[in-house]
Amino acid sequence: PPGTGKSQIVVAILANAMLRGERVLFASYNHKAVQVVEQKLNNIAGFRALLRCGRSREERCHFTEVAEEIDNFLGGVLPEEGPVPDGLGSGLRAHRVEVMRRTSGHTRQALEEMAETARSLSQDEWTAFPTWLREFPAASEALPLWCVTNLSARWSLPLEPGLFDLVIIDEASQCDIASAWPL
């Protein structure tokens, strides 16, 4: 039921998976559930640790935010330091800095192409979508946490088996099989 801490558990799972170097997809049939987890984790981390694909009901294009975060990553913009209620936020920041230092070569090039593609997608230039799908696997090595609504998954992510180490479907009992299948 609401208020029992499901979002907190999901945030903890996502953060721990990131620290272990795992790629995770978080999804829900409900925009609000995705938004709550996205905001909680990103507030703890001090940067967009969980990137969202697609568009929200309020027509907020998340591809713009993805492009900005990739630019920050490639530009070496370090996560903000600030008060952290526990060690999780500082651990995520330290991990991010380490990943930023290690990333080079093919992954860096994939991120550059993804940022450009995300800008095109944010302007509804869907001819860029094949590039997004092609570069996503390599780019997700550096940016491993992603979220999407069930209905946006097929328009946001490559439908390849094994792309993520873990998929979390929030409120799965409220999902129909057809919308959860691409996940």
Side-chain angles (χ1 to χ4, degrees), residues 23-147:
R23 292 188 273 190
V24 183
L25 175 63
F26 171 71
S28 178
Y29 192 81
N30 178 327
H31 280 279
K32 185 66 175 169
V34 172
Q35 184 179 13
V36 166
V37 170
E38 176 190 18
Q39 288 176 344
K40 282 185 180 191
L41 180 59
N42 292 346
N43 286 341
I44 289 170
F47 62 96
R48 284 189 190 109
L50 182 60
L51 295 169
R52 188 167 178 183
C53 293
R55 290 187 187 275
S56 297
R57 285 188 182 148
E58 64 271 7
E59 291 304 308
R60 181 174 134 222
C61 183
H62 301 288
F63 288 111
T64 302
E65 296 165 0
V66 169
E68 289 171 4
E69 190 57 31
I70 292 172
D71 289 343
N72 288 341
F73 184 93
L74 292 171
V77 176
L78 300 177
E80 296 176 16
E81 288 296 331
V84 179
D86 58 28
L88 185 56
S90 59
L92 291 172
R93 286 184 205 121
H95 177 75
R96 173 63 172 255
V97 169
E98 181 58 31
V99 171
M100 288 168 78
R101 282 191 201 124
R102 288 186 309 198
T103 301
S104 62
H106 177 68
T107 302
R108 199 164 185 77
Q109 182 179 358
L111 286 166
E112 289 169 0
E113 289 189 37
M114 271 192 75
E116 187 61 38
T117 302
R119 281 186 271 282
S120 296
L121 292 172
S122 69
Q123 297 174 14
D124 289 327
E125 296 174 16
W126 287 97
T127 55
F129 193 61
T131 303
W132 173 267
L133 296 177
R134 184 182 66 243
E135 300 303 334
F136 191 94
S140 67
E141 292 175 18
L143 302 171
L145 304 182
W146 293 83
C147 62

Side-chain angles (χ1 to χ4, degrees), residues 114-183:
M114 271 192 75
E116 187 61 38
T117 302
R119 281 186 271 282
S120 296
L121 292 172
S122 69
Q123 297 174 14
D124 289 327
E125 296 174 16
W126 287 97
T127 55
F129 193 61
T131 303
W132 173 267
L133 296 177
R134 184 182 66 243
E135 300 303 334
F136 191 94
S140 67
E141 292 175 18
L143 302 171
L145 304 182
W146 293 83
C147 62
V148 68
T149 60
N150 293 12
L151 297 176
S152 295
R154 65 186 176 139
W155 305 111
S156 301
L157 303 167
L159 299 179
E160 297 176 13
L163 183 60
F164 295 98
D165 299 305
L166 176 65
V167 176
I168 301 168
I169 303 175
D170 193 18
E171 300 177 351
S173 64
Q174 297 176 22
C175 297
D176 58 284
I177 293 171
S179 71
W181 187 256
L183 302 171

